[in-house]
Amino acid sequence: MDNPSKITEGAMEYSLGEFDGNSVFYDFEKILIYLNAKGRMLFGRQFRIYDEDLVIIRKLCHYFIKDLENCKKHDIDPDKGILLSGPVGCGKTTLMKLLRHIAPTQRPYDIIPCRNITFSFNHLGFKTIEDYGNTKSFCFDDLGIEHPGRFYGKNLNVMGEVLLSRYELYIQSKHKIKTHATTNLSADELEKQYGNRVRSRMRELFNLVAFDKGAEDKRI
């Protein structure tokens, strides 16, 4: 039987905890060792995990490994997706690219910049809305900073429509098909961008996990 507490990367095997034959008992310190190693593979030798991000990373790990007890403690619904918010450059996209690797047996998600979806709409029209309302899982990156879409002279709040489609999919699939997103915007700014109806649906789609407003820009 495969041991789900271990992940192999090339010639290296990393342990995320202990497996008793039925359940994995995860060890956060071991997960961090793996995340540091995987981060360097994905993003280069300069990658490192910052001590000030450990609270956020721990919450996200609870979510991705489906630690139901700790999810409940942090008011995280494992059936919903993640909306990871925080200032520019604090590492939101990096974490969403990285943390999906600690649970390789779960449904994978593609990370798509929201501006790419708007560009697609400008060329393909409503087929784009259909494409992102399908049964795949996505993480929409930089939600809220994209421009309105325009197709044949008509403007459309493309991501607003995509989120409404994702909500319908979420309900129809009985909460099995998740949507994730990253954003620099506050809840009020998102409501201003997409309207009250979409904001209401977002509350049902997402768990909000937020960096501190003073989180440093790690790209400097």
Side-chain angles (χ1 to χ4, degrees):
M1 177 188 291
D2 290 338
N3 186 338
S5 71
K6 298 187 185 299
I7 294 179
T8 301
E9 297 284 355
M12 294 289 294
E13 183 178 76
Y14 296 89
S15 172
L16 305 185
E18 302 296 330
F19 181 55
D20 67 0
N22 293 307
S23 302
V24 177
F25 299 91
Y26 287 95
D27 182 323
F28 186 61
E29 295 306 316
K30 289 182 177 180
I31 291 175
L32 285 180
I33 290 171
Y34 171 67
L35 290 177
N36 259 310
K38 186 66 175 178
R40 290 192 181 104
M41 292 177 209
L42 292 173
F43 309 115
R45 294 180 63 84
Q46 78 284 356
F47 174 85
R48 68 184 178 93
I49 287 174
Y50 292 76
D51 288 345
E52 60 265 32
D53 294 342
L54 290 179
V55 171
I56 291 277
I57 292 171
R58 188 183 289 268
K59 283 183 185 178
L60 292 171
C61 284
H62 293 327
Y63 172 82
F64 281 107
I65 65 177
K66 295 186 181 294
D67 182 338
L68 300 183
E69 183 178 338
N70 276 302
C71 281
K72 186 175 181 181
K73 189 185 299 182
H74 294 291
D75 198 26
I76 293 173
D77 183 341
D79 286 337
K80 295 182 179 181
I82 293 289
L83 175 61
L84 187 57
S85 73
V88 172
C90 67
K92 302 180 294 297
T93 306
T94 296
L95 286 183
M96 291 305 288
K97 286 180 177 177
L98 178 61
L99 282 162
R100 57 185 171 176
H101 292 282
I102 66 172
T105 60
Q106 292 186 32
R107 178 190 284 265
Y109 55 85
D110 294 333
I111 297 177
I112 311 290
C114 291
R115 61 183 184 141
N116 290 13
I117 298 174
T118 299
F119 291 154
S120 175
F121 175 83
N122 293 345
H123 289 91
L124 301 175
F126 286 90
K127 181 181 183 300
T128 298
I129 311 295
E130 295 170 11
D131 288 345
Y132 290 101
N134 66 22
T135 55
K136 290 183 70 175
S137 291
F138 293 105
C139 176
F140 298 127
D141 194 31
D142 274 339
L143 183 67
I145 65 167
E146 73 283 350
H147 295 295
R150 188 170 179 83
F151 187 69
Y152 279 96
K154 292 186 177 181
N155 289 341
L156 185 75
N157 190 323
V158 176
M159 285 310 303
E161 293 298 321
V162 168
L163 289 171
L164 290 174
S165 294
R166 297 299 300 180
Y167 171 77
E168 293 300 327
L169 186 65
Y170 173 72
I171 297 301
Q172 291 165 11
S173 70
K174 293 184 168 54
H175 303 176
K176 290 179 182 175
I177 297 175
K178 297 176 183 175
T179 304
H180 307 294
T182 71
T183 186
N184 304 331
L185 304 187
S186 68
D188 288 344
E189 288 169 328
L190 286 169
E191 183 164 335
K192 185 176 180 181
Q193 175 82 352
Y194 298 115
N196 179 261
R197 181 170 173 239
V198 173
R199 178 70 187 117
S200 174
R201 300 296 187 268
M202 289 176 69
R203 290 189 186 96
E204 296 183 62
L205 271 177
F206 297 121
N207 296 286
L208 177 61
V209 178
F211 278 87
D212 186 83
K213 290 179 181 177
E216 68 175 278
D217 187 339
K218 300 175 180 69
R219 298 181 299 189
I220 294 175

